[in-house]
């Protein structure tokens, strides 16, 4: 593993406070693997054998029922996922697959649980990150229940702009069908919503979004910090 990648993993909030010898012991049994795009990593209902840390690329968390499938989250570097299932030795509630060619560090679940039981600093950091993840889920539910589709899309685009250092033009992180599922919309509804945002300063060219008038978009979206502000330090799913 490249030193810069290991440093980035070390800086994740769940690991940042660990003593060096504890962190080194934790990752000594880890596997670093490269995966092409569209490879299944986890299947919902299977046991959580590893904590996955996305080092490069992108991944999608998704779920299915009775022949229907929906996207739950898009994971970007550097983030850990299925931490909750790993901690309580439970089955995975979501599946995961790579969206693009990706590199993942996989730490055996029993090793995570052992350090959680023995290392108070590590345990406190995990509790903090899981609390932030829970709060982020509450915000997602609030958005779905309290905002119509047009406003959900408008605020999502504002958040993407913020994640891209305030850029007025940026690429969508996944295909539009996946974006629609993330926002609890149908692809057709997403297309109509993009069209409706034309009058509020938004243009879409393929997978690229252009915000030509951010003030107009913000006036329409009415961002709410109790929904839209991310939980600081969130690096787990």
């Amino acid at each position: 593993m490249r030193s810069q990648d290991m440093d980035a993993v070390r800086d994740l909030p769940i690991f940042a406070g660990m003593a060096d010898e504890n962190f080194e012991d934790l990752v000594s049994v880890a596997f670093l693997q490269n995966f092409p795009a569209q490879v299944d990593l986890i299947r919902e209902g299977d046991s959580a054998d590893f904590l996955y840390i996305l080092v490069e690329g992108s991944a999608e968390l998704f779920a299915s029922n009775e022949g229907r499938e929906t996207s739950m989250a898009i994971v970007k570097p550097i983030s850990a996922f299925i931490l909750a299932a790993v901690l309580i030795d439970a089955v995975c509630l979501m599946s995961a697959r790579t969206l693009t060619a990706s590199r993942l560090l996989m730490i055996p679940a029993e090793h995570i649980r052992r350090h959680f039981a023995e290392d108070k600093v590590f345990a406190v950091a995990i509790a903090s990150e899981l609390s932030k993840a829970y709060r982020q889920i509450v915000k997602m539910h609030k958005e779905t229940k309290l905002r119509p589709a047009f406003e959900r899309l408008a605020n999502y685009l504002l958040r993407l702009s913020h994640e891209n250092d305030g850029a007025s033009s940026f690429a969508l992180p996944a295909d539009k069908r996946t974006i629609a599922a993330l926002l609890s919309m149908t692809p057709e509804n997403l297309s109509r919503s993009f069209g409706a945002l034309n009058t509020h300063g938004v243009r879409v060219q393929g997978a690229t979004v252009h915000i030509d008038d951010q003030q107009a978009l913000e006036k329409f979206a009415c961002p709410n910090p109790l929904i839209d502000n991310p939980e600081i330090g969130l690096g787990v799913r």
Side-chain angles (χ1 to χ4, degrees), residues 9-192:
V9 171
R10 183 75 167 96
D11 286 340
L12 280 175
I14 58 173
F15 302 130
M18 295 181 75
D20 289 340
E21 59 270 23
N22 290 346
F23 177 74
E24 290 168 6
D25 179 69
L26 186 66
V27 298
S28 66
V29 293
F31 305 90
L32 181 67
Q33 294 192 19
N34 296 319
F35 295 91
Q38 299 301 316
V39 169
D40 289 339
L41 303 168
I42 303 167
R43 291 186 179 180
E44 58 185 308
D46 287 352
S47 59
D49 296 326
F50 296 94
L51 176 67
Y52 289 80
I53 300 174
L54 183 69
V55 177
E56 287 183 358
S58 59
E60 176 190 8
L61 303 179
F62 64 99
S64 59
N65 183 59
E66 299 294 334
R68 296 186 293 273
E69 182 180 296
T70 190
S71 296
M72 303 294 290
I74 294 175
V75 183
K76 300 176 182 178
I78 288 178
S79 300
F81 54 97
I82 68 160
L83 176 59
V86 164
L87 279 183
I88 62 174
D89 195 14
V91 299
C92 300
L93 296 181
M94 297 182 286
S95 300
R97 62 185 164 221
T98 57
L99 285 174
T100 60
S102 302
R103 300 175 71 218
L104 290 112
L105 186 70
M106 302 158 59
I107 305 176
E110 63 271 18
H111 219 52
I112 295 289
R113 289 193 290 270
R114 178 172 68 81
H115 277 270
F116 180 76
E118 297 175 355
D119 187 334
K120 180 180 178 180
V121 172
F122 184 46
V124 170
I126 285 179
S128 176
E129 287 304 294
L130 288 177
S131 297
K132 293 171 187 175
Y134 169 76
R135 287 172 57 82
Q136 198 65 33
I137 289 173
V138 171
K139 292 177 180 182
M140 291 169 60
H141 279 293
K142 288 174 66 175
E143 177 165 69
T144 301
K145 292 179 177 293
L146 296 174
R147 283 174 169 163
F150 295 165
E151 287 183 18
R152 292 202 298 275
L153 178 59
N155 281 284
Y156 177 68
L157 296 179
L158 288 173
R159 293 196 296 269
L160 286 180
S161 174
H162 179 74
E163 291 172 11
N164 285 275
D165 299 320
S168 59
S169 298
F170 49 86
L172 292 171
D175 62 86
K176 291 178 181 177
R177 181 173 294 274
T178 299
I179 299 298
L182 287 174
L183 297 175
S184 299
M185 300 163 66
T186 65
E188 295 75 18
N189 199 2
L190 179 70
S191 180
R192 289 194 294 270

